[in-house]
Amino acid sequence: MSKVIDGKAFAESVRAGVGKQVEWLKSNHNITPGLAVVLVGEDPASQVYVRNKGKQTLEAGMNSYEHKLDTSVSEAELLALIDQLNNDETVHGILVQLPLPDHMREAAVIDAIDYRKDVDGFHLTNVGLLNTGGDGVVPCTPLGCIMMLKERLGSLSGKNAVVVGRSNIVGKPMAALLLKESCTVTIAHSRTADLPDVCRSADILVAAVGRPEMIPGDWVKPGAAVIDVGINRIERDGKNKLVGDVDYASCEAVAGAITPVPGGVGPMTIACLLHNTVQQAARQHNVELPS
Ligand code: NDP
């Protein structure tokens, strides 16, 4: 088996599974899941993400609703739109593309979304459910990572996992998911003492730092599974390139399994967004989805 975990192929299989669940919801319950994506402003990267999300939502057989607002829109106007979407029965998932303009409070906007329609898993209720073993929605990027790890390694129970990065959207929920799988989890960050040694203790090493190629192969335990969440745009030899947070060549040489950048964690993120939308549609209608 190749060491490389092919996130693109895995994402395709997740999307195919979501497509089947959508068909099942339509034919058995007359429900077509709908995802509303709200974009404020003209950030080019956000525009690309929103376009891809809309396209893949439609391809999975769901309804996609895009709401593009001008940067100058007030927080109150955005909250009014969220309220309208919360009350719209054709909308089962609401995603507000981050980052928001500086004059808006991200936490207030996220909390205004009905947690049963939150598909990012950022709402405080869903954060609480994840950390108390409840049945909520899980942030897409860490969910994609845990799916790939379980598919490759089977049971994760008893493994030492190190997550480098403690953000609310990746590091912390990743650690919570690994703990749920009965790993022994260490969360490392910019103040961690002797980071190389901490990383070397990991059977599972997740890098979510945002620093190009920061983790070299000699920080990796031989045979460890390395999940590289980082997406960093760099210029090399006069060309623009996407690289992760791990130095791929040296890490691949020692790892037992590794995700590439691009083509690893990235494609899984949108697939998990579609997965979360279907889950929320089923929850809202008290329907148990076939696995
Ligand atoms: P944040 O900037 O929010 O968090 C980065 C974390 O890395 C912080 O906890 C920070 O520590 C830690 N860190 C920074 N420098 C160091 C260092 N030298 N040593 C150890 N830890 C360090 O980033 P995100 O979590 O939002 O994203 C991380 C990466 O993942 C980015 O490259 C981002 O683009 C990518 N990403 C990819 C996604 C995908 O779909 N594949 C989705 C989301 C993000 P401290 O808290 O102490 O400052």
Side-chain angles (χ1 to χ4, degrees), residues 5 37 53 61 115 128 140 191 251 280:
I5 302 176
V37 178
K53 285 168 185 171
Y115 78 94
C140 302
R191 306 295 173 89
C251 288
Q280 290 293 51

Side-chain angles (χ1 to χ4, degrees), residues 85-168:
L85 296 172
N86 281 340
N87 291 300
D88 183 339
E89 284 185 3
T90 65
V91 171
H92 303 91
I94 304 170
L95 181 149
V96 178
Q97 184 67 44
L98 302 178
L100 288 169
D102 289 344
H103 64 278
M104 292 185 181
R105 296 165 302 157
E106 246 168 48
V109 171
I110 289 167
D111 253 21
I113 297 171
D114 182 337
Y115 78 94
R116 287 160 301 192
K117 294 194 177 188
D118 167 29
V119 280
D120 266 329
F122 297 161
H123 190 284
L124 286 179
T125 300
N126 285 318
V127 175
L129 287 168
L130 173 61
N131 284 282
T132 54
D135 181 28
V137 135
V138 173
C140 302
T141 300
L143 178 60
C145 296
I146 210 85
M147 282 180 176
M148 288 193 286
L149 280 167
K150 284 169 77 171
E151 208 249 352
R152 177 56 68 105
L153 303 178
S155 168
L156 309 183
S157 178
K159 295 196 184 297
N160 287 335
V162 172
V163 180
V164 190
R166 55 173 162 179
S167 71
N168 289 336

Side-chain angles (χ1 to χ4, degrees), residues 256-280:
I258 187 165
T259 57
V261 175
V265 175
M268 283 298 287
T269 297
I270 298 188
C272 288
L273 170 68
L274 306 180
H275 166 91
N276 282 350
T277 305
V278 175
Q279 296 289 322
Q280 290 293 51

Side-chain angles (χ1 to χ4, degrees), residues 141 164-167 169-171 188-191 195 208-211 214 229-232 245 265-266 269:
T141 300
V164 190
R166 55 173 162 179
S167 71
I169 62 167
V170 189
H189 45 78
S190 67
R191 306 295 173 89
L195 184 61
V209 187
R211 292 189 186 267
M214 189 190 92
V229 181
I231 302 179
N232 308 291
D245 290 340
V265 175
T269 297

Side-chain angles (χ1 to χ4, degrees), residues 42-65:
E42 312 259 302
D43 178 60
S46 294
Q47 283 180 332
V48 174
Y49 292 142
V50 166
R51 206 174 315 130
N52 285 340
K53 285 168 185 171
K55 190 168 158 267
Q56 293 192 26
T57 305
L58 292 173
E59 281 168 5
M62 298 190 259
N63 288 326
S64 166
Y65 310 101

